[in-house]
Amino acid sequence: MDALSGTELKVEGLTKRFGGLTAVKNVSFSLWGGEITGLIGPNGSGKSTIMKLVMGLERPDAGSVQIGGEETARWAPHRIARRGIGILFQHSRPLPRQTVIENIMLALLPDRLLHWGRRSEVLERAEWIAERVGLSEVRHRLPATLSFADLRRIELAKALARDPRILLIDEPFAGLTPLEVESFSALIAGFRENGRAVLLVDHNVRSVAALADRVIVLHHGELVCEGTAAEVTRDPEVRRIYLGEEADTASAKMPRHPAPPLLEVDKLSLSYGRARVLSEMSFSVGEGEFVAVIGHNGSGKTSLFNAISGFVDYAGGLVWRGSDMRRLGAAAIARAGIVHCPETRELFGPLTVRQNLDLAGSHLPRADMEAQLDLIHSIFPRLAERRDQAAQSLSGGEQQMLAIARSLMMRPKLLILDEPTLGLAPVALNQISDALDMLRKNSGIAVLLGEQNVSFALRHADRIHVLERGRITWTGPADRFRSEAASGYI
Amino acid sequence: MWKLLAVFLLLAMVPWLGSAYLLGTLTVACYFAVFAMSWDLLFGFANEVNFGPTFLIGAGAYTAGMLNWAGISIAGSLFGGVAAAEVCGLALAVPALRLTGPYFGLVTLASVLLLQQAVIIFAPFTGGEIGLTVRDVFSADPETNYWISLGVCVLTGVVLLLLSRSSVGLILQASSQDRLAAAALGFNVAKHKIAAFSISALFSGLAGAMLVFYMGAASIGTVIDISIGVQIIISAVLGGRRTIFGAALGTLALILAGEALRPVGEIRTFLVSGAALVAILFFPDGLVGQASRLWRTR
């Protein structure tokens, strides 16, 4: 903000609607050269949409985006990119048959159909960029043989190719080891030294706090507050968004009594190739208990659930009602009473609500099926109203209800819910919350919840396990979480 | 590159064998190789499935045929044929390439039927279902005809191969893999796809028109019918996606196999299609892809 550096990006009154949902509501902010800004917000808060709007990948319904003083709000993305914005996508998709250096050269090519010769010049510059981001050693290898961090480096190299004045980085450190985070941070800090404007987009303040000069918080598409990382973390509104209301904590209203264990996880470890995703995790879920595993993207929640459901191989022990689960296949585990409601929902879109439920309950005797449908309709009256509607025509919240309802048709003793709040609007989120309360009241089903929405987990869970990089780093009742472990989740 | 040269030398020696029948077969094969290579540029690099290669071929062939019938020279007719293929191709591609998903393929499929109907409706000019006879042919000599077709085949192969290895080939592959990411790197994705399509149309139209002046006639059954398009697609996939060279090789293999099996009668089409299907199922990388894999693991 000093006199030396100008405003590189100015966003004013930006608004984007998708159907009835307003994903971005009247958002205004600016990026200055030589400054790192963090844009944070929970899932579904509109961060990605803002990135896409700035980059021209989506068209805004209202508002203006100015790059270096020039209005670019309705330009095609390639023109915007050439004005001086580089974007680092969260998922890297390099060309698989080309080497690292060829992938970097791609980004250096002019957008012209006739481009003969001068390859040596491009190659030279690509080599220089590879050197800068630390890819020199692997520059002649194919992407498939590289580590995750090196794949991110390729993306970084590509984003740097046109020497952008503004750099947008989506989840800069997701999936990186602490050592890699350090070297990436150094690279990003280097852009600031060079006078570039950097926007780091992430879920929470913690992940960008070390680098960001300024943090902007987004919630339900609206700008909530702006300030230094410390100021934002202290902000009562931000605390409420990330941690929920103090009163809405499960253990405050639920008496806890020692329940006989249903599922015991004993030193569970899991690796994908060389990447270790779970390290010696141990915990248990008792009958009728509600246990939440809180962790950011990539912390290992889904991998844990996949191991429990028998989808992946693991080391260590899993014990279900006193007997070892290792020999059971995925189908046998589901029949034994562990039912997995995946984050992706996996509904049969063209089929109706009722058909989706019938399919899941087709193994039940008629009477049991009716009883189960009654339970479901008492918990989710909305699904009874929508019974003849195609699943794909339901709203996000209703689809999530149907996904849970379908899991219930399998008559679980333990229901695994993987991020049921993902992408839901606040109203829908409350409906799911109410339904979970009903479910606990009307049935003795135990629930194992994986979430990064802390306030949702705190509202329901008797016990919380915090998962970081595949390890449990904190365990305790929900009411102690706020004072002891919350700082990492704002 | 040496394998290309080897295949070329092999083909260049064929006239010394003195078989007019073999020369005739290979002449047609060379034109179809051009069709298949042009198709691979779209499928292999731009990741767009053109179900209607015969739309471009037919537009070129019929336009050239009608022009010649009206008294225009072969050269002028060829030029007209290429121009027509370009105009028709771009009229189709510019709106269709804006669509994402399977729609481009569906539009191209419909275009073939459209062209076929147009030929039937305008029968006084096109000869309708009987076909169109042209006034001139390249030559009555099988050897001359062969050299002409081999020439255009090699020219197409070299141009497309160079193009696929140039920046455009790289940008095309990047856009087909992730359109948004390519746009975010500053590439006008639509421009590159349309360029690829128009190059594909150029060679398809040219070879289509030339085929007419080899055969002395154009008919729906030889240059437009859906089954011709399917044969081109199978050849290209059989030979190996994303290789250009493989498309030519696949064409050669398919046509030679068809001719070799001529004695067994009509069942040959079934046998050849069946064999091609099995080959594609077990070697999705095609003949060339499989060969280079064996080469590497040796």
Side-chain angles (χ1 to χ4, degrees):
Chain A
M1 256 181 277
D2 55 57
L4 285 172
S5 49
T7 311
E8 293 289 1
L9 179 80
K10 191 169 183 183
V11 170
E12 266 180 323
L14 203 61
T15 297
K16 176 70 184 173
R17 284 180 285 271
F18 294 110
L21 177 79
T22 307
V24 174
K25 231 177 280 175
N26 197 21
V27 168
S28 305
F29 65 90
S30 295
L31 299 184
W32 287 277
E35 193 189 38
I36 298 177
T37 308
L39 175 65
I40 67 147
N43 273 335
S45 56
K47 309 182 296 286
S48 314
T49 309
I50 288 184
M51 279 226 278
K52 286 181 180 161
L53 290 169
V54 168
M55 207 59 214
L57 302 172
E58 296 278 359
R59 273 165 190 248
D61 291 308
S64 111
V65 177
Q66 288 179 13
I67 300 173
E70 196 169 4
E71 180 65 45
T72 62
R74 276 155 197 87
W75 285 17
H78 64 271
R79 285 185 67 201
I80 295 178
R82 280 186 255 158
R83 286 303 302 168
I85 295 200
I87 186 166
L88 199 70
F89 290 103
Q90 192 187 338
H91 302 287
S92 63
R93 294 189 68 194
L95 290 172
R97 283 169 301 277
Q98 274 74 19
T99 60
V100 171
I101 201 79
E102 284 171 318
N103 266 287
I104 300 174
M105 284 169 73
L106 163 75
L108 290 164
L109 296 174
D111 182 35
R112 264 181 282 139
L113 296 172
L114 292 176
H115 173 66
W116 307 107
R118 294 221 319 265
R119 277 231 157 178
S120 61
E121 226 171 86
V122 172
L123 180 65
E124 219 169 89
R125 171 125 174 98
E127 300 261 6
W128 182 79
I129 293 175
E131 168 99 52
R132 261 197 85 189
V133 301
L135 283 172
S136 283
E137 305 233 319
V138 298
R139 67 187 187 280
H140 295 306
R141 282 171 45 186
L142 291 176
T145 67
L146 297 184
S147 69
F148 178 76
D150 282 345
L151 291 175
R152 292 284 292 172
R153 286 198 170 90
I154 296 182
E155 292 306 304
L156 189 61
K158 280 157 70 182
L160 282 177
R162 286 183 203 280
D163 202 13
R165 292 181 298 167
I166 306 163
L167 202 62
L168 311 179
I169 310 181
D170 196 4
E171 295 200 33
F173 308 118
L176 298 181
T177 66
L179 211 67
E180 290 161 351
V181 168
E182 213 172 286
S183 86
F184 264 70
S185 297
L187 281 171
I188 294 169
F191 304 146
R192 173 170 50 193
E193 312 311 315
N194 291 346
R196 290 193 177 92
V198 182
L199 184 71
L200 305 178
V201 179
D202 215 314
H203 296 290
N204 45 47
V205 184
R206 190 186 66 151
S207 48
V208 300
L211 271 179
D213 304 304
R214 190 164 53 100
V215 176
I216 302 169
V217 184
L218 209 62
H219 188 48
H220 298 318
E222 284 180 284
L223 216 149
V224 175
C225 99
E226 190 174 339
T228 64
E231 286 164 7
V232 164
T233 311
R234 279 195 304 270
D235 187 90
E237 174 74 1
V238 175
R239 286 187 79 83
R240 197 189 56 74
I241 291 168
Y242 277 88
L243 305 174
E245 303 287 352
E246 201 79 38
D248 271 341
T249 304
S251 12
K253 52 196 180 192
M254 280 273 183
R256 279 199 320 279
H257 40 81
L262 203 53
L263 173 75
E264 288 160 276
V265 177
D266 184 29
K267 293 193 174 151
L268 183 76
S269 294
L270 182 61
S271 302
Y272 297 132
R274 277 170 299 167
R276 195 171 175 86
V277 287
L278 294 177
S279 305
E280 305 205 334
M281 271 189 88
S282 298
F283 69 93
S284 66
V285 183
E287 263 172 45
E289 216 179 2
F290 198 123
V291 174
V293 176
I294 291 179
H296 299 302
N297 278 346
S299 58
K301 302 186 297 292
T302 300
S303 298
L304 165 69
F305 300 153
N306 284 343
I308 295 174
S309 301
F311 298 149
V312 289
D313 270 336
Y314 55 87
L318 282 174
V319 177
W320 175 244
R321 308 172 87 191
S323 58
D324 189 20
M325 285 166 60
R326 186 165 286 283
R327 295 252 169 70
L328 300 180
I333 290 173
R335 277 197 303 274
I338 302 183
V339 177
H340 187 162
C341 183
E343 151 185 48
T344 44
R345 295 174 195 156
E346 309 292 341
L347 296 172
F348 301 108
L351 300 188
T352 65
V353 168
R354 181 60 196 266
Q355 285 167 332
N356 268 285
L357 293 176
D358 283 351
L359 264 176
S362 54
H363 65 287
L364 294 178
R366 195 77 219 158
D368 290 356
M369 190 160 152
E370 294 297 336
Q372 215 54 21
L373 276 176
D374 285 344
L375 171 71
I376 284 167
H377 288 158
S378 72
I379 300 172
F380 303 108
R382 183 70 67 91
L383 292 181
E385 292 165 29
R386 298 263 191 273
R387 53 178 290 168
D388 294 320
Q389 213 169 311
Q392 64 202 11
S393 69
L394 300 176
S395 71
E398 289 165 348
Q399 288 193 11
Q400 187 58 57
M401 289 179 194
L402 179 55
I404 296 173
R406 196 176 58 172
S407 305
L408 292 176
M409 285 307 281
M410 313 274 291
R411 298 217 292 181
K413 295 188 180 67
L414 172 65
L415 177 64
I416 297 178
L417 290 178
D418 194 357
E419 300 215 25
T421 64
L422 197 64
L424 294 190
V427 183
L429 209 146
N430 281 334
Q431 287 169 341
I432 298 283
S433 250
D434 293 343
L436 284 186
D437 286 339
M438 284 281 281
L439 177 68
R440 294 207 71 188
K441 216 161 32 171
N442 294 0
S443 74
I445 298 176
V447 179
L448 177 57
L449 169 77
E451 261 303 343
Q452 45 184 325
N453 181 335
V454 174
S455 67
F456 182 81
L458 289 182
R459 173 169 166 187
H460 294 287
D462 306 321
R463 211 139 35 78
I464 305 273
H465 300 288
V466 172
L467 192 60
E468 274 176 49
R469 299 180 193 285
R471 285 173 200 278
I472 293 184
T473 54
W474 186 89
T475 293
D479 48 5
R480 266 178 30 216
F481 179 87
R482 254 190 206 85
S483 51
E484 292 178 18
S487 66
Y489 287 85
I490 297 176
Chain B
M1 272 299 174
W2 62 267
K3 35 180 192 183
L4 289 178
L5 205 65
V7 172
F8 175 71
L9 286 177
L10 213 61
L11 287 172
M13 281 191 291
V14 172
W16 277 276
L17 293 174
S19 159
Y21 170 67
L22 183 62
L23 273 185
T25 304
L26 287 178
T27 303
V28 174
C30 281
Y31 288 124
F32 272 77
V34 173
F35 301 153
M37 288 189 288
S38 309
W39 188 81
D40 190 39
L41 180 70
L42 275 187
F43 180 59
F45 296 90
N47 202 24
E48 294 287 356
V49 188
N50 175 9
F51 284 115
T54 52
F55 173 71
L56 303 170
I57 298 163
Y62 265 87
T63 308
M66 286 189 292
L67 286 175
N68 184 248
W69 187 61
I72 292 173
S73 71
I74 290 186
S77 304
L78 288 179
F79 184 79
V82 169
E86 282 294 332
V87 170
C88 293
L90 289 179
L92 179 81
V94 172
L97 284 173
R98 304 177 77 94
L99 303 171
T100 51
Y103 295 101
F104 174 78
L106 294 178
V107 169
T108 56
L109 193 58
S111 69
V112 177
L113 298 178
L114 212 63
L115 182 64
Q116 189 167 342
Q117 289 308 309
V119 168
I120 292 169
I121 291 167
F122 298 105
F125 307 100
T126 61
E129 283 169 287
I130 300 161
L132 176 76
T133 312
V134 289
R135 291 163 184 263
D136 307 314
V137 291
F138 284 132
S139 166
D141 175 31
E143 209 178 309
T144 310
N145 276 319
Y146 177 65
W147 286 117
I148 292 173
S149 71
L150 186 61
V152 73
C153 179
V154 168
L155 177 76
T156 309
V158 169
V159 170
L160 291 183
L161 212 58
L162 287 178
L163 190 76
S164 70
R165 291 183 182 176
S166 73
S167 344
V168 176
L170 211 55
I171 295 171
L172 276 178
Q173 288 182 69
S175 342
S176 68
Q177 180 157 326
D178 192 331
R179 208 186 163 102
L180 297 185
L185 287 177
F187 297 123
N188 185 344
V189 174
K191 181 172 88 180
H192 284 90
K193 285 204 171 180
I194 288 169
F197 192 82
S198 77
I199 290 161
S200 185
L202 174 89
F203 287 110
S204 300
L206 177 66
M210 290 176 75
L211 188 61
V212 174
F213 293 110
Y214 164 64
M215 298 192 296
S219 69
I220 291 174
T222 51
V223 291
I224 299 184
D225 197 84
I226 290 275
S227 68
I228 303 287
V230 172
Q231 195 193 329
I232 292 165
I233 293 172
I234 291 178
S235 309
V237 178
L238 177 69
R241 182 182 181 183
R242 220 178 277 111
T243 56
I244 303 290
F245 174 60
L249 209 65
T251 311
L252 208 61
L254 216 60
I255 289 184
L256 287 180
E259 290 303 320
L261 287 172
R262 201 172 272 281
V264 302
E266 269 315 296
I267 199 169
R268 72 196 170 103
T269 313
F270 180 78
L271 289 176
V272 172
S273 315
L277 190 67
V278 169
I280 291 169
L281 282 176
F282 285 97
F283 311 111
D285 289 337
L287 301 175
V288 168
Q290 195 63 27
S292 59
R293 181 174 301 170
L294 287 177
W295 187 255
R296 271 200 304 273
T297 53
R298 236 174 35 157

